Amino acid sequence: MKTYDVKVHPSAANLPREQQLAWHIAEFAANCGPLDADVTEMIACRIVDNASVGLAAINRAPVAAARAMALAHPRKGGATVYGLGSGVRVDAEWAAWANATAVRELDFHDTFLAADYSHPGDAISPLVAVAQQMGLDGSALARGIAVTYEVHVALVKAISLHKYKKDHVAHLAPATTAAIGAMLGLSTEVIFQAVNQAVHLSFSTRQSRKGEISSWKAYVPGFSGKLAIECVDRAMRGEASPSPIYEGEESVLAWMLGGKNEAYKVSLPAPGESPRGIMETYTKAHSAEYQAQALIDLAIDLSGQIGDLSKVKDILLETSHHTHNVIGTGANDPQKMDPEASRETLDHSIMYILAVALEDRKWHHVDSYTRERARTASTVALWHKIRTVEEPSWTVRYLDPNPDKRAFGGKIIVTLEDGRVITGERAVADAHPNGAHPWTWPDYAGKFNSLTKGELSDAERKAFLDAAKGFAGLAAGKLDVLIPALPTGQVVPAKPTGQGIFDHGLE
């Protein structure tokens, strides 16, 4: 690994491109080393993970709307859309838009947490779309996916966006862009220009994840993927972009983040070094914000010890700064305590999540979020007895540079009306690489089988899993199998009342 110092430089310094972070990213992407076998296997797991949750969300309103927008951009020789099969093709950037929205909708796929938050698997849909349209093979796709995880993990470790209330798309977009360049075998120069543009255009505020959270949260990776594809296309045509985009006097570091007095250290593989960033990331066994994963597992275990939940006087969660301030009472969002809040808000409310997990002793991607479930009187009563505090030791563990020591959980302290106190703590989710049951291929396959049961036959599910497991060996033009189709009639169009500009003028 090579570590680069990144800070703001005055324009008069005329910082050489070879000393700019965007160049370092591009240089790694253009010279990615061979993939280790376990990395390729984990990529296969994440392809399955994405398909699982993408198909499970196929008929939810935001997904149907994104798909309708994509279908207004048909392209012979383009890319495929979840559920529709290889007979329907659209422009790659619109397939990225539709498929990434489907994957993100249920908040149910992979994550990486460090100085910032991220969902590196959000880049897979755009990469598959480009690979399909460009006629690439499985080995090229594998290289691209390995690169996007490596760049994304490096940026998330080094640069906090949340500290300055910026959304994490600002790391996703350049990681996706660099990966497309790697997949296409582009030069460092071309990838550099594309990354500059992606960073320049991808900064937005965290209001998308604050208060009453809207469906835009699901569209963010589709937007990022679409942007990345357009940035690479423009750079391939010989066009340049703003630079130094990270280090310039009026750059993103200077005005979007910490300014001229803050410096960062970003570590990336040296040219030719094998990328392994994906092995530090982890997926979700439960459809909820990742920082709730360990706490759902813990609440399910504690529920049996508590017994009659109506006798609970108070529940205190001691946890990290991030969990307390993003999904806990430290966020100061009244919407997180409101039974009428959106699903997107409820899956970012650890108070709601703990109440439901304690009562139901399980978690379900649909049933745990229904309006009726949120309005249940006993749930509301328990929900409003839950509060969170930051415990500094959990913050230290959350930010530990050693992945074997990082912790994303907390300690739950339940006080009953009779004075008894029941406590428990969980550092990481059971499915985490350091958890009680680290997920491997059988778990990802099981998730796919569970979420697609009733939509696909046993034979169809097996065919997809076999293809996904051996994806790196797929020949050029044979990647359609990675975006599964559903039987005719199982994919519901967007409601007619939701038509937009793209629907007009279609033949």
Side-chain angles (χ1 to χ4, degrees):
M1 300 290 282
K2 296 183 69 174
T3 300
Y4 304 101
D5 293 319
V6 183
K7 63 179 183 179
V8 174
H9 292 259
S11 296
N14 197 23
L15 185 68
R17 61 177 55 187
E18 293 80 10
Q19 296 178 26
Q20 297 174 27
L21 177 57
W23 183 270
H24 300 318
I25 291 170
E27 187 175 36
F28 158 65
N31 298 279
C32 170
L35 306 191
D36 296 331
D38 59 343
V39 168
T40 301
E41 180 179 353
M42 186 55 70
I43 292 172
C45 290
R46 302 305 169 81
I47 289 172
V48 170
D49 204 36
N50 274 24
S52 302
V53 298
L55 293 177
I58 201 74
N59 289 323
R60 292 180 63 84
V63 179
R67 184 169 58 250
M69 295 171 75
L71 291 175
H73 298 82
R75 180 192 183 98
K76 184 179 180 181
T80 62
V81 176
Y82 276 122
L84 299 184
S86 58
V88 178
R89 293 184 177 274
V90 301
D91 285 326
E93 68 270 28
W94 287 101
W97 170 263
N99 292 339
T101 300
V103 169
R104 190 71 186 91
E105 165 67 11
L106 292 175
D107 208 343
F108 202 4
H109 67 317
D110 72 15
T111 301
F112 179 70
L113 303 173
D116 206 65
Y117 326 127
S118 67
H119 301 283
D122 283 342
I124 292 176
S125 292
L127 296 180
V128 172
V130 171
Q132 287 179 330
Q133 185 162 303
M134 299 297 288
L136 303 182
D137 62 17
S139 64
L141 177 62
R143 182 172 63 252
I145 294 176
V147 165
T148 196
Y149 274 87
E150 193 70 40
V151 174
H152 207 154
V153 165
L155 293 174
V156 169
K157 284 181 178 179
I159 301 174
S160 174
L161 301 169
H162 177 266
K163 180 179 179 180
Y164 300 103
K165 308 310 176 189
K166 301 301 186 296
D167 195 21
H168 49 241
V169 65
H171 289 337
L172 172 61
T176 307
T177 302
I180 294 172
M183 195 168 62
L184 294 175
L186 301 180
S187 67
T188 299
E189 164 68 23
V190 173
I191 300 173
F192 169 68
Q193 297 297 348
V195 168
N196 283 332
Q197 183 182 346
V199 175
H200 179 62
L201 297 177
S202 62
F203 269 76
S204 59
T205 71
R206 278 194 62 85
Q207 189 59 45
S208 59
R209 300 166 202 277
K210 181 74 174 172
E212 183 68 15
I213 303 173
S214 74
S215 63
W216 178 248
K217 182 166 72 73
Y219 284 91
V220 167
F223 168 80
S224 174
K226 189 169 176 291
L227 170 64
I229 293 168
E230 293 168 351
C231 291
V232 173
D233 184 277
R234 179 173 172 274
M236 290 171 71
R237 299 175 190 276
E239 298 302 318
S241 299
S243 68
I245 197 57
Y246 285 106
E247 302 92 347
E249 202 169 74
E250 298 187 2
S251 66
V252 296
L253 293 189
W255 292 100
M256 304 289 188
L257 300 177
K260 63 181 181 180
N261 294 321
E262 190 154 4
Y264 303 92
K265 291 184 179 295
V266 181
S267 297
L268 289 163
E273 188 176 349
S274 298
R276 294 192 55 80
I278 192 172
M279 302 307 293
E280 292 190 47
T281 68
Y282 23 81
T283 196
K284 298 178 180 179
H286 311 296
S287 177
E289 158 68 26
Y290 192 83
Q291 293 167 100
Q293 300 293 304
L295 300 171
I296 291 173
D297 292 333
L298 176 58
I300 292 170
D301 288 348
L302 284 180
S303 183
Q305 300 178 42
I306 297 170
D308 186 353
L309 293 170
S310 70
K311 304 300 183 183
V312 169
K313 179 182 179 182
D314 176 79
I315 297 178
L316 176 64
L317 169 63
E318 295 179 348
T319 188
S320 66
H321 170 88
H322 291 68
T323 305
H324 171 58
N325 286 285
V326 174
I327 63 173
T329 49
N332 295 313
D333 291 341
Q335 297 87 350
K336 286 180 168 39
M337 307 300 289
D338 184 0
E340 304 305 316
S342 66
R343 182 197 190 278
E344 291 83 1
T345 300
L346 295 177
D347 83 8
H348 276 56
S349 169
I350 192 59
M351 293 71 69
Y352 173 77
I353 290 168
L354 287 180
V356 173
L358 286 167
E359 286 193 329
D360 296 353
R361 301 188 188 184
K362 61 181 180 180
W363 197 262
H364 190 269
H365 64 286
V366 175
D367 298 345
S368 297
Y369 291 107
T370 64
R371 184 59 58 215
E372 293 74 23
R373 187 70 196 77
R375 290 171 176 164
T376 301
S378 61
T379 303
V380 175
L382 183 61
W383 182 358
H384 286 78
K385 295 177 182 178
I386 300 171
R387 56 194 172 89
T388 71
V389 296
E390 179 189 355
E391 166 51 54
S393 63
W394 282 102
T395 299
V396 171
R397 296 172 72 183
Y398 186 107
L399 296 172
D400 197 302
N402 184 343
D404 293 330
K405 295 182 179 180
R406 288 187 203 128
F408 309 114
K411 180 178 182 179
I412 296 176
I413 304 169
V414 182
T415 303
L416 303 178
E417 291 178 349
D418 63 8
R420 287 186 298 134
V421 177
I422 298 171
T423 66
E425 65 179 70
R426 191 72 56 96
V428 294
D430 293 349
H432 187 275
N434 301 326
H437 180 75
W439 271 33
T440 57
W441 174 263
D443 302 290
Y444 289 92
K447 184 175 179 178
F448 179 80
N449 287 328
S450 173
L451 291 178
T452 60
K453 187 176 183 179
E455 281 74 42
L456 295 174
S457 67
D458 291 346
E460 288 169 326
R461 291 198 299 275
K462 183 179 185 304
F464 167 74
L465 291 172
D466 288 345
K469 191 167 189 178
F471 85 98
L474 291 173
K478 300 297 182 181
L479 301 184
D480 292 0
V481 293
L482 303 182
I483 305 294
L486 294 177
T488 303
Q490 290 195 14
V491 180
V492 178
K495 294 181 180 179
T497 54
Q499 289 185 336
I501 294 170
F502 296 145
D503 300 298
H504 291 269
L506 290 175
E507 294 181 0

PDB file of all heavy atoms in Angstrom, residues 281-301:
ATOM      1  N   THR A 281     -15.369  -5.335   4.047  1.00  0.00           N
ATOM      2  CA  THR A 281     -16.771  -4.917   4.049  1.00  0.00           C
ATOM      3  C   THR A 281     -17.667  -6.072   4.475  1.00  0.00           C
ATOM      4  O   THR A 281     -17.221  -7.209   4.607  1.00  0.00           O
ATOM      5  CB  THR A 281     -17.177  -4.395   2.663  1.00  0.00           C
ATOM      6  OG1 THR A 281     -17.174  -5.481   1.723  1.00  0.00           O
ATOM      7  CG2 THR A 281     -16.220  -3.316   2.180  1.00  0.00           C
ATOM      8  N   TYR A 282     -18.958  -5.790   4.678  1.00  0.00           N
ATOM      9  CA  TYR A 282     -19.863  -6.780   5.265  1.00  0.00           C
ATOM     10  C   TYR A 282     -21.283  -6.476   4.817  1.00  0.00           C
ATOM     11  O   TYR A 282     -21.627  -5.329   4.509  1.00  0.00           O
ATOM     12  CB  TYR A 282     -19.779  -6.745   6.789  1.00  0.00           C
ATOM     13  CG  TYR A 282     -19.279  -5.415   7.323  1.00  0.00           C
ATOM     14  CD1 TYR A 282     -20.134  -4.320   7.463  1.00  0.00           C
ATOM     15  CD2 TYR A 282     -17.933  -5.227   7.609  1.00  0.00           C
ATOM     16  CE1 TYR A 282     -19.662  -3.091   7.903  1.00  0.00           C
ATOM     17  CE2 TYR A 282     -17.452  -3.997   8.045  1.00  0.00           C
ATOM     18  CZ  TYR A 282     -18.320  -2.939   8.193  1.00  0.00           C
ATOM     19  OH  TYR A 282     -17.858  -1.721   8.610  1.00  0.00           O
ATOM     20  N   THR A 283     -22.100  -7.505   4.799  1.00  0.00           N
ATOM     21  CA  THR A 283     -23.482  -7.300   4.361  1.00  0.00           C
ATOM     22  C   THR A 283     -24.446  -7.337   5.543  1.00  0.00           C
ATOM     23  O   THR A 283     -24.035  -7.472   6.694  1.00  0.00           O
ATOM     24  CB  THR A 283     -23.882  -8.341   3.299  1.00  0.00           C
ATOM     25  OG1 THR A 283     -25.073  -7.895   2.651  1.00  0.00           O
ATOM     26  CG2 THR A 283     -24.127  -9.712   3.933  1.00  0.00           C
ATOM     27  N   LYS A 284     -25.727  -7.263   5.225  1.00  0.00           N
ATOM     28  CA  LYS A 284     -26.775  -7.197   6.247  1.00  0.00           C
ATOM     29  C   LYS A 284     -27.631  -8.461   6.253  1.00  0.00           C
ATOM     30  O   LYS A 284     -28.090  -8.903   5.209  1.00  0.00           O
ATOM     31  CB  LYS A 284     -27.689  -5.998   5.993  1.00  0.00           C
ATOM     32  CG  LYS A 284     -27.004  -4.654   6.056  1.00  0.00           C
ATOM     33  CD  LYS A 284     -27.985  -3.539   5.750  1.00  0.00           C
ATOM     34  CE  LYS A 284     -27.324  -2.174   5.818  1.00  0.00           C
ATOM     35  NZ  LYS A 284     -28.267  -1.091   5.500  1.00  0.00           N
ATOM     36  N   ALA A 285     -27.845  -8.976   7.437  1.00  0.00           N
ATOM     37  CA  ALA A 285     -28.831 -10.046   7.607  1.00  0.00           C
ATOM     38  C   ALA A 285     -30.216  -9.464   7.807  1.00  0.00           C
ATOM     39  O   ALA A 285     -31.217 -10.180   7.657  1.00  0.00           O
ATOM     40  CB  ALA A 285     -28.454 -10.931   8.797  1.00  0.00           C
ATOM     41  N   HIS A 286     -30.288  -8.174   8.167  1.00  0.00           N
ATOM     42  CA  HIS A 286     -31.563  -7.510   8.454  1.00  0.00           C
ATOM     43  C   HIS A 286     -31.713  -6.258   7.595  1.00  0.00           C
ATOM     44  O   HIS A 286     -30.733  -5.546   7.349  1.00  0.00           O
ATOM     45  CB  HIS A 286     -31.640  -7.101   9.932  1.00  0.00           C
ATOM     46  CG  HIS A 286     -31.276  -8.192  10.885  1.00  0.00           C
ATOM     47  ND1 HIS A 286     -31.991  -9.354  11.006  1.00  0.00           N
ATOM     48  CD2 HIS A 286     -30.233  -8.303  11.764  1.00  0.00           C
ATOM     49  CE1 HIS A 286     -31.438 -10.129  11.926  1.00  0.00           C
ATOM     50  NE2 HIS A 286     -30.362  -9.511  12.396  1.00  0.00           N
ATOM     51  N   SER A 287     -32.907  -5.978   7.162  1.00  0.00           N
ATOM     52  CA  SER A 287     -33.180  -4.819   6.316  1.00  0.00           C
ATOM     53  C   SER A 287     -33.319  -3.574   7.180  1.00  0.00           C
ATOM     54  O   SER A 287     -34.426  -3.149   7.538  1.00  0.00           O
ATOM     55  CB  SER A 287     -34.467  -5.052   5.509  1.00  0.00           C
ATOM     56  OG  SER A 287     -34.783  -3.924   4.736  1.00  0.00           O
ATOM     57  N   ALA A 288     -32.173  -2.980   7.509  1.00  0.00           N
ATOM     58  CA  ALA A 288     -32.145  -1.775   8.343  1.00  0.00           C
ATOM     59  C   ALA A 288     -30.752  -1.172   8.255  1.00  0.00           C
ATOM     60  O   ALA A 288     -29.797  -1.834   7.822  1.00  0.00           O
ATOM     61  CB  ALA A 288     -32.488  -2.100   9.797  1.00  0.00           C
ATOM     62  N   GLU A 289     -30.636   0.084   8.671  1.00  0.00           N
ATOM     63  CA  GLU A 289     -29.346   0.771   8.745  1.00  0.00           C
ATOM     64  C   GLU A 289     -28.308  -0.146   9.406  1.00  0.00           C
ATOM     65  O   GLU A 289     -28.599  -0.818  10.400  1.00  0.00           O
ATOM     66  CB  GLU A 289     -29.527   2.061   9.543  1.00  0.00           C
ATOM     67  CG  GLU A 289     -28.302   2.641  10.155  1.00  0.00           C
ATOM     68  CD  GLU A 289     -27.322   3.184   9.119  1.00  0.00           C
ATOM     69  OE1 GLU A 289     -27.770   3.554   8.004  1.00  0.00           O
ATOM     70  OE2 GLU A 289     -26.123   3.236   9.427  1.00  0.00           O
ATOM     71  N   TYR A 290     -27.076  -0.165   8.859  1.00  0.00           N
ATOM     72  CA  TYR A 290     -26.105  -1.153   9.340  1.00  0.00           C
ATOM     73  C   TYR A 290     -25.826  -1.033  10.831  1.00  0.00           C
ATOM     74  O   TYR A 290     -25.621  -2.038  11.518  1.00  0.00           O
ATOM     75  CB  TYR A 290     -24.774  -1.075   8.572  1.00  0.00           C
ATOM     76  CG  TYR A 290     -23.945  -2.292   8.914  1.00  0.00           C
ATOM     77  CD1 TYR A 290     -24.151  -3.490   8.248  1.00  0.00           C
ATOM     78  CD2 TYR A 290     -23.036  -2.271   9.976  1.00  0.00           C
ATOM     79  CE1 TYR A 290     -23.465  -4.637   8.601  1.00  0.00           C
ATOM     80  CE2 TYR A 290     -22.339  -3.409  10.339  1.00  0.00           C
ATOM     81  CZ  TYR A 290     -22.560  -4.594   9.654  1.00  0.00           C
ATOM     82  OH  TYR A 290     -21.895  -5.735  10.045  1.00  0.00           O
ATOM     83  N   GLN A 291     -25.808   0.171  11.352  1.00  0.00           N
ATOM     84  CA  GLN A 291     -25.480   0.345  12.764  1.00  0.00           C
ATOM     85  C   GLN A 291     -26.543  -0.240  13.688  1.00  0.00           C
ATOM     86  O   GLN A 291     -26.344  -0.307  14.900  1.00  0.00           O
ATOM     87  CB  GLN A 291     -25.256   1.829  13.049  1.00  0.00           C
ATOM     88  CG  GLN A 291     -24.004   2.329  12.344  1.00  0.00           C
ATOM     89  CD  GLN A 291     -23.902   3.847  12.318  1.00  0.00           C
ATOM     90  OE1 GLN A 291     -23.193   4.437  13.115  1.00  0.00           O
ATOM     91  NE2 GLN A 291     -24.606   4.482  11.401  1.00  0.00           N
ATOM     92  N   ALA A 292     -27.661  -0.703  13.098  1.00  0.00           N
ATOM     93  CA  ALA A 292     -28.691  -1.395  13.874  1.00  0.00           C
ATOM     94  C   ALA A 292     -28.526  -2.907  13.846  1.00  0.00           C
ATOM     95  O   ALA A 292     -29.193  -3.616  14.602  1.00  0.00           O
ATOM     96  CB  ALA A 292     -30.077  -1.033  13.340  1.00  0.00           C
ATOM     97  N   GLN A 293     -27.641  -3.434  12.982  1.00  0.00           N
ATOM     98  CA  GLN A 293     -27.565  -4.883  12.783  1.00  0.00           C
ATOM     99  C   GLN A 293     -27.235  -5.649  14.066  1.00  0.00           C
ATOM    100  O   GLN A 293     -27.939  -6.590  14.455  1.00  0.00           O
ATOM    101  CB  GLN A 293     -26.543  -5.211  11.695  1.00  0.00           C
ATOM    102  CG  GLN A 293     -26.844  -4.604  10.340  1.00  0.00           C
ATOM    103  CD  GLN A 293     -28.092  -5.167   9.694  1.00  0.00           C
ATOM    104  OE1 GLN A 293     -28.223  -6.376   9.501  1.00  0.00           O
ATOM    105  NE2 GLN A 293     -29.012  -4.300   9.356  1.00  0.00           N
ATOM    106  N   ALA A 294     -26.158  -5.275  14.733  1.00  0.00           N
ATOM    107  CA  ALA A 294     -25.767  -5.969  15.960  1.00  0.00           C
ATOM    108  C   ALA A 294     -26.820  -5.795  17.044  1.00  0.00           C
ATOM    109  O   ALA A 294     -27.071  -6.712  17.849  1.00  0.00           O
ATOM    110  CB  ALA A 294     -24.414  -5.451  16.451  1.00  0.00           C
ATOM    111  N   LEU A 295     -27.464  -4.627  17.046  1.00  0.00           N
ATOM    112  CA  LEU A 295     -28.446  -4.327  18.089  1.00  0.00           C
ATOM    113  C   LEU A 295     -29.750  -5.082  17.866  1.00  0.00           C
ATOM    114  O   LEU A 295     -30.444  -5.418  18.825  1.00  0.00           O
ATOM    115  CB  LEU A 295     -28.666  -2.817  18.156  1.00  0.00           C
ATOM    116  CG  LEU A 295     -27.376  -2.041  18.490  1.00  0.00           C
ATOM    117  CD1 LEU A 295     -27.581  -0.551  18.321  1.00  0.00           C
ATOM    118  CD2 LEU A 295     -26.902  -2.373  19.906  1.00  0.00           C
ATOM    119  N   ILE A 296     -30.093  -5.376  16.618  1.00  0.00           N
ATOM    120  CA  ILE A 296     -31.245  -6.248  16.351  1.00  0.00           C
ATOM    121  C   ILE A 296     -30.959  -7.645  16.882  1.00  0.00           C
ATOM    122  O   ILE A 296     -31.788  -8.255  17.567  1.00  0.00           O
ATOM    123  CB  ILE A 296     -31.564  -6.284  14.846  1.00  0.00           C
ATOM    124  CG1 ILE A 296     -32.097  -4.938  14.372  1.00  0.00           C
ATOM    125  CG2 ILE A 296     -32.582  -7.394  14.532  1.00  0.00           C
ATOM    126  CD1 ILE A 296     -32.288  -4.837  12.861  1.00  0.00           C
ATOM    127  N   ASP A 297     -29.770  -8.165  16.568  1.00  0.00           N
ATOM    128  CA  ASP A 297     -29.395  -9.488  17.080  1.00  0.00           C
ATOM    129  C   ASP A 297     -29.444  -9.518  18.603  1.00  0.00           C
ATOM    130  O   ASP A 297     -29.948 -10.479  19.208  1.00  0.00           O
ATOM    131  CB  ASP A 297     -27.979  -9.851  16.608  1.00  0.00           C
ATOM    132  CG  ASP A 297     -27.895 -10.098  15.104  1.00  0.00           C
ATOM    133  OD1 ASP A 297     -28.914 -10.485  14.504  1.00  0.00           O
ATOM    134  OD2 ASP A 297     -26.805  -9.897  14.535  1.00  0.00           O
ATOM    135  N   LEU A 298     -28.937  -8.456  19.226  1.00  0.00           N
ATOM    136  CA  LEU A 298     -28.916  -8.388  20.689  1.00  0.00           C
ATOM    137  C   LEU A 298     -30.326  -8.293  21.258  1.00  0.00           C
ATOM    138  O   LEU A 298     -30.663  -8.978  22.245  1.00  0.00           O
ATOM    139  CB  LEU A 298     -28.082  -7.186  21.135  1.00  0.00           C
ATOM    140  CG  LEU A 298     -28.036  -6.897  22.644  1.00  0.00           C
ATOM    141  CD1 LEU A 298     -27.499  -8.093  23.408  1.00  0.00           C
ATOM    142  CD2 LEU A 298     -27.170  -5.658  22.907  1.00  0.00           C
ATOM    143  N   ALA A 299     -31.181  -7.463  20.656  1.00  0.00           N
ATOM    144  CA  ALA A 299     -32.546  -7.300  21.160  1.00  0.00           C
ATOM    145  C   ALA A 299     -33.325  -8.609  21.084  1.00  0.00           C
ATOM    146  O   ALA A 299     -34.095  -8.948  22.001  1.00  0.00           O
ATOM    147  CB  ALA A 299     -33.263  -6.217  20.365  1.00  0.00           C
ATOM    148  N   ILE A 300     -33.137  -9.349  20.010  1.00  0.00           N
ATOM    149  CA  ILE A 300     -33.813 -10.639  19.880  1.00  0.00           C
ATOM    150  C   ILE A 300     -33.385 -11.574  21.004  1.00  0.00           C
ATOM    151  O   ILE A 300     -34.207 -12.286  21.594  1.00  0.00           O
ATOM    152  CB  ILE A 300     -33.524 -11.248  18.487  1.00  0.00           C
ATOM    153  CG1 ILE A 300     -34.204 -10.414  17.395  1.00  0.00           C
ATOM    154  CG2 ILE A 300     -33.982 -12.701  18.419  1.00  0.00           C
ATOM    155  CD1 ILE A 300     -33.795 -10.783  15.992  1.00  0.00           C
ATOM    156  N   ASP A 301     -32.111 -11.570  21.337  1.00  0.00           N
ATOM    157  CA  ASP A 301     -31.610 -12.412  22.436  1.00  0.00           C
ATOM    158  C   ASP A 301     -32.120 -11.939  23.799  1.00  0.00           C
ATOM    159  O   ASP A 301     -32.474 -12.753  24.671  1.00  0.00           O
ATOM    160  CB  ASP A 301     -30.080 -12.405  22.443  1.00  0.00           C
ATOM    161  CG  ASP A 301     -29.488 -13.187  21.285  1.00  0.00           C
ATOM    162  OD1 ASP A 301     -30.246 -13.911  20.610  1.00  0.00           O
ATOM    163  OD2 ASP A 301     -28.267 -13.072  21.053  1.00  0.00           O
TER     164      ASP A 301
END
